[in-house]
């Protein structure tokens, strides 16, 4: 979950490296560092804190190297200190390494190297790598050979970039279960954890696959498979990525910008896919597996965090629209379960980044079992997108704020489309459903005009340090997602609960200091939600609710109401999501929190 960049080319390499780190900062931001080679020696600069600290230090440097690399960290092994920040190096600072992932066998390697007299200065797993390369270099005298031998010994997940004064003019990289992309420009090469750090320089990219390493010099690149010790022939492909989407425009931060992109997100997730007049849905990404889809009798959705909650909405949608039994499993649990599968079971992975290690591990678990693997992914060309047999892109554009917002909305829209696609002809009011989906962007726009009211209500509730989010049916996953949004950006304790379960325990917590957020838009079970709300009110609990416009009755039951435009029950989650996102956002702003970069988190969770 760290971000790494490497540059070799005609420019002052520190520029692209620092800019690249800024683009990748969403992946981790507790410390950062760069290393470069000028004439024949390595220099390293690293500090606790954000990339801007490094940028200021780099600006003071007189050097204009053509070879450099950098790292922005999300700590796994070792506290976020300057010493533990990357790059890491060997004793005489001739070999510099940055790493994303976890080296699972680092302790074994470290013990061996300590016995050989190597000294370690940090608590990190990464530090074994420069020492191990040095060890192999001393044996063979070839840096290329030493790098390959060293990475072949590593277990776990890693993307590694290395430079060395023992191999001047060369950039080294290796990947296993952690993303790494090589940008091939005019007289320049740039390596990065994801294309957002590359696209400014070139749109030609090569995605390194597991067990691949790259050795890059001004003359070109060589790719090898270090498991098979064989050369791999690869040519660059064109990147489909829109730089414009990544800019902040006039918004104060990415989170608000991305929430306000909801109408556009719905349009992009449905564009060209739904035809309300004919009642048809066309998902180009599933055409190749058309026949296999007909055989699917059970669907397992695997995902993490917000994508998992979108999956729970999908469970209701797909079961209702397609009459296929659906189970949603946390990818981190799925991997370690022993459950029977039949070939008629399909797995659907949902991921915004497409790089979440647990989700990737879940897909790997079912590899080779003759099961169809599908994906709903936002990041084009990401690992999940490439691992699946077929899938549907969200097309929500890059999501920069750590808290997922527009991706959830796009995922729910795509799940609805998949439900309709699977269930061709199984529901009668298909046209009505599609008309509603088609009208959602307008409804989302209308809802966003109420932002001031949502802000006022959210600010009022920041005095509570405990929150329950409750809902039923489609409102239940929304409650889970609402609680997640609140806790991750305000750090207020919040739990999502099925409203019907309150009386089975959680009601005991309710008093005048314990707030509830009720998800109560028009639905089949609204009367039952009213009863659950009344039970809380009777115990003095303050309640804010989200309800459908024109619902006057709820005003009598709760303290505050936020209204959403009327739509069908199955699509309420899209509009409710905007409300819960704005509520958490304004509460966090009021509390002075950094909404784009909440503490302890990172955007892309590439460690298990
Ligand atoms: C919460 C959030 C995370 C992600 C989760 C999965 O706001 O962003 O819970 O949803 O880490 O990430 P993806 O969707 O990239 O697999």
């Amino acid at each position: 979950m760290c971000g790494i960049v490497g540059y070799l080319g005609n420019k002052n390499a520190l520029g692209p490296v620092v800019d690249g780190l800024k683009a990748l900062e969403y992946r981790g931001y507790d410390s950062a560092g760069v290393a470069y080679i000028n004439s024949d020696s390595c220099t390293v600069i690293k500090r606790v804190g954000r990339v801007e600290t490094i940028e200021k230090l780099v600006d003071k440097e007189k050097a204009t190297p053509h070879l450099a690399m950098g790292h922005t960290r999300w700590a796994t092994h070792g506290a976020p200190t300057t010493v533990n920040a990357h790059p890491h190096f060997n004793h005489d600072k001739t070999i510099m390494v940055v790493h994303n992932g976890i080296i699972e066998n680092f302790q074994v390697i470290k013990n061996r190297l300590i016995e050989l007299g190597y000294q370690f200065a940090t608590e990190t797993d990464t530090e074994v790598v420069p020492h191990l390369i040095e060890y192999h270099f001393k044996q063979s005298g070839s840096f290329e050979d030493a790098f390959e031998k060293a990475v072949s010994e590593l277990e776990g997940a890693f993307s590694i970039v290395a430079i060395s004064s023992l191999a001047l003019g060369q950039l080294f990289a290796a990947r296993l279960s952690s993303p790494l992309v090589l940008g091939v420009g005019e007289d320049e090469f740039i390596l990065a954890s994801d294309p957002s750090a590359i696209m400014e320089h070139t749109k030609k990219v090569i995605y390194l696959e597991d067990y691949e390493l790259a050795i890059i010099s001004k003359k070109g690149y060589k790719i090898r498979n270090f498991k098979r010790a064989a050369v791999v022939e690869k040519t660059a492909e064109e990147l489909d990525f829109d730089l414009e989407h990544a800019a902040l425009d006039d918004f104060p931060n990415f989170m608000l910008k991305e929430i306000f992109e909801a109408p556009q997100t719905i349009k992009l997730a449905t564009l060209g896919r739904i035809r309300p007049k004919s009642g048809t849905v066309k998902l180009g990404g599933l055409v190749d597996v058309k026949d296999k889809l007909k055989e699917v009798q059970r669907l397992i959705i695997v995902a993490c965090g917000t994508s998992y909650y979108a999956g729970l909405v999908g469970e209701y949608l797909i079961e209702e629209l397609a009459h296929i039994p659906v189970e949603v499993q946390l990818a981190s649990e799925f991997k370690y379960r022993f459950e029977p599968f039949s070939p008629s079971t399909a797995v659907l992975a949902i991921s915004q980044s497409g790089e979440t290690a647990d989700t990737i591990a879940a897909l790997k678990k079912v590899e080779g079992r003759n099961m169809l693997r599908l994906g709903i992914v936002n990041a084009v060309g990401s690992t999940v997108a490439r691992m699946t047999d077929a899938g549907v892109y969200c097309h929500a554009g890059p999501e920069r704020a750590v808290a997922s917002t527009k991706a959830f909305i796009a995922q729910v829209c795509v799940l609805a489309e998949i439900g309709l696609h699977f269930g061709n002809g199984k529901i009668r009011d298909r046209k009505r459903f599609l008309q509603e989906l088609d009208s959602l962007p307008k409804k989302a726009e209308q809802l966003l005009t109420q932002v001031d009211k949502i802000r006022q209500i959210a600010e009022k509730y920041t005095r509570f340090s405990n929150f329950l989010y409750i809902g039923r049916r489609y409102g239940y996953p929304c409650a889970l997602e609402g609680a997640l949004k609140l806790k991750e950006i305000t750090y207020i304790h919040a739990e999502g609960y099925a409203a019907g379960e309150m009386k089975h325990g959680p009601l005991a917590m309710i008093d005048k200091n314990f707030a509830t957020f009720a998800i109560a838009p028009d639905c089949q079970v609204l009367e039952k939600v009213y009863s659950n709300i009344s039970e809380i009110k009777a115990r003095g609990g303050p309640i804010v609710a989200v309800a459908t416009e024109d619902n006057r009755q709820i005003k009598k039951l709760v303290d505050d109401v936020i209204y959403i435009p009327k739509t069908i029950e199955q699509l309420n989650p899209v509009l409710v999501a905007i409300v819960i996102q704005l509520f958490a956002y304004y509460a966090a702003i009021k509390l002075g929190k950094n909404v784009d970069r909440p503490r302890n988190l990172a955007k892309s969770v590439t460690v298990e």
Side-chain angles (χ1 to χ4, degrees):
M1 12 228 259
C2 308
I4 57 185
V5 191
Y7 179 90
L8 172 65
N10 289 338
K11 296 179 190 141
N12 175 353
L14 292 170
V17 166
V18 170
D19 289 346
L21 289 182
K22 284 197 217 155
L24 296 178
E25 212 179 13
Y26 70 89
R27 302 176 68 90
Y29 36 85
D30 54 43
S31 54
V34 296
Y36 61 88
I37 298 191
N38 216 15
S39 57
D40 60 357
S41 66
C42 299
T43 304
V44 58
I45 306 169
K46 52 185 189 170
R47 290 287 185 281
V48 169
R50 306 277 302 265
V51 174
E52 60 186 19
T53 313
I54 294 299
E55 186 176 25
K56 284 187 195 132
L57 295 170
V58 162
D59 284 347
K60 289 190 200 139
E61 294 284 296
K62 300 263 175 324
T64 54
H66 296 293
L67 178 59
M69 64 184 191
H71 186 272
T72 177
R73 182 170 187 241
W74 183 82
T76 55
H77 288 70
T81 59
T82 294
V83 140
N84 288 335
H86 298 219
H88 290 288
F89 39 80
N90 58 337
H91 184 66
D92 55 9
K93 291 196 178 175
T94 51
I95 303 168
M96 302 277 150
V97 169
V98 290
H99 160 226
N100 168 33
I102 290 180
I103 298 166
E104 284 169 0
N105 60 338
F106 87 98
Q107 198 59 55
V108 178
I109 298 174
K110 190 169 173 174
N111 293 346
R112 204 176 85 210
L113 290 168
I114 288 172
E115 270 178 30
L116 291 167
Y118 284 85
Q119 286 174 1
F120 285 79
T122 78
E123 302 162 284
T124 66
D125 51 345
T126 308
E127 199 189 358
V128 297
V129 184
H131 292 304
L132 191 60
I133 299 174
E134 181 190 300
Y135 166 79
H136 286 296
F137 182 73
K138 282 184 178 156
Q139 313 294 308
S140 71
S142 153
F143 197 87
E144 286 188 19
D145 203 41
F147 183 76
E148 182 160 342
K149 284 213 166 79
V151 295
S152 311
E153 278 192 46
L154 306 179
E155 289 167 15
F158 55 82
S159 47
I160 284 171
V161 175
I163 57 174
S164 171
S165 56
L166 306 169
L168 292 173
Q170 283 180 301
L171 187 56
F172 296 83
R175 167 198 160 128
L176 177 62
S177 300
S178 184
L180 199 55
V181 193
L182 169 64
V184 182
E186 292 277 315
D187 301 322
E188 62 181 356
F189 297 95
I190 180 153
L191 278 159
S193 303
D194 85 39
S196 62
I198 293 178
M199 59 195 180
E200 202 180 309
H201 305 276
T202 178
K203 283 201 155 188
K204 290 214 161 91
V205 293
I206 294 174
Y207 293 96
L208 290 188
E209 301 293 339
D210 283 352
Y211 299 106
E212 285 182 354
L213 66 80
I215 302 162
I216 302 143
S217 70
K218 277 202 168 168
K219 288 194 212 134
Y221 57 85
K222 244 182 344 195
I223 297 180
R224 293 179 53 80
N225 182 300
F226 56 83
K227 195 175 182 189
R228 292 189 277 111
V231 173
V232 180
E233 296 297 340
K234 276 189 136 166
T235 46
E237 56 188 271
E238 200 76 19
L239 190 65
D240 176 18
F241 209 86
D242 194 346
L243 190 58
E244 275 172 19
H245 281 298
L248 202 48
D249 298 335
D250 289 332
F251 287 93
N253 45 56
F254 281 107
M255 184 168 177
L256 191 63
K257 177 179 185 244
E258 287 160 6
I259 297 173
F260 268 82
E261 279 171 10
Q264 176 73 356
T265 301
I266 306 165
K267 271 185 211 154
L268 292 173
T270 52
L271 197 76
R273 291 175 174 164
I274 60 167
R275 297 195 172 84
K277 278 196 188 136
S278 58
T280 49
V281 174
K282 194 164 175 260
L283 298 174
L286 300 183
V287 168
D288 287 351
V289 292
K290 204 172 70 199
D291 294 333
K292 283 194 174 162
L293 281 179
K294 285 184 194 144
E295 287 159 24
V296 173
Q297 283 174 20
R298 173 187 176 210
L299 184 68
I300 302 176
I301 296 180
V302 288
C304 304
T306 291
S307 298
Y308 169 78
Y309 297 142
L312 290 178
V313 177
E315 179 176 7
Y316 286 87
L317 278 167
I318 297 172
E319 289 195 339
E320 207 166 321
L321 298 174
H323 305 180
I324 294 174
V326 180
E327 266 164 68
V328 193
Q329 297 201 28
L330 288 163
S332 53
E333 289 297 316
F334 177 76
K335 187 185 165 190
Y336 299 102
R337 273 175 80 142
F338 298 98
E339 58 181 305
F341 302 117
S342 69
S344 61
T345 306
V347 170
L348 168 63
I350 307 179
S351 176
Q352 185 287 126
S353 62
E355 301 297 350
T356 300
D358 289 317
T359 311
I360 292 169
L363 283 171
K364 276 194 181 152
K365 173 180 164 170
V366 295
E367 220 161 42
R369 290 187 190 226
N370 195 24
M371 283 162 65
L372 185 62
R373 297 189 302 171
L374 305 169
I376 297 179
V377 176
N378 190 34
V380 176
S382 56
T383 305
V384 172
R386 286 178 289 121
M387 277 177 85
T388 41
D389 303 310
V392 184
Y393 276 121
C394 291
H395 291 317
E399 201 180 51
R400 316 291 300 180
V402 163
S404 194
T405 53
K406 61 178 177 170
F408 177 87
I409 286 174
Q411 289 162 348
V412 171
C413 292
V414 171
L415 282 159
E417 290 162 357
I418 289 183
L420 290 165
H421 183 86
F422 261 119
N424 209 354
K426 288 201 180 112
I427 59 159
R428 266 180 290 125
D429 37 7
R430 219 178 141 81
K431 282 191 186 168
R432 161 100 205 283
F433 194 107
L434 288 173
Q435 277 154 9
E436 277 300 325
L437 191 50
D438 202 34
S439 68
L440 268 192
K442 277 222 160 59
K443 293 182 180 173
E445 267 167 33
Q446 200 185 322
L447 174 55
L448 285 165
T449 61
Q450 286 190 59
V451 66
D452 280 337
K453 175 150 193 235
I454 300 174
R455 180 177 50 73
Q456 282 161 19
I457 296 177
E459 288 178 355
K460 184 172 143 188
Y461 280 81
T462 50
R463 69 188 175 85
F464 295 101
S465 23
N466 289 298
F467 256 93
L468 265 171
Y469 279 66
I470 57 163
R472 298 183 85 124
R473 273 175 56 86
Y474 289 89
Y476 171 48
C478 296
L480 297 172
E481 171 61 4
L484 175 62
K485 283 287 95 73
L486 193 74
K487 62 188 144 198
E488 73 181 319
I489 59 164
T490 66
Y491 320 149
I492 293 174
H493 168 238
E495 279 182 64
Y497 237 88
E501 280 289 296
M502 288 296 291
K503 55 189 174 296
H504 299 291
L507 207 51
M509 297 189 292
I510 297 297
D511 65 14
K512 65 178 180 1
N513 296 316
F514 205 118
T516 297
F517 194 118
I519 313 292
D522 288 0
C523 62
Q524 268 184 33
V525 287
L526 188 56
E527 290 297 330
K528 297 204 184 300
V529 178
Y530 287 160
S531 308
N532 302 133
I533 289 175
S534 303
E535 286 151 15
I536 292 168
K537 203 70 219 146
R539 278 133 189 112
I543 308 182
V544 50
V546 52
T548 302
E549 60 190 1
D550 301 331
N551 180 344
R552 300 287 153 235
Q553 191 179 345
I554 198 156
K555 277 200 152 179
K556 296 180 207 137
L557 299 175
V558 302
D559 301 287
D560 293 280
V561 189
I562 300 167
Y563 285 111
I564 58 167
K566 192 170 184 56
T567 184
I568 51 175
E569 179 179 0
Q570 293 88 341
L571 295 177
N572 276 332
V574 174
L575 299 177
V576 168
I578 298 173
V579 173
I580 53 183
Q581 291 165 5
L582 284 170
F583 185 86
Y585 171 83
Y586 283 115
I589 294 291
K590 172 81 175 167
L591 294 169
K593 304 291 189 250
N594 181 341
V595 288
D596 278 354
R597 302 272 180 268
R599 70 182 182 201
N600 306 340
L601 300 180
K603 182 69 182 163
S604 182
V605 188
T606 55
V607 290
E608 273 189 60

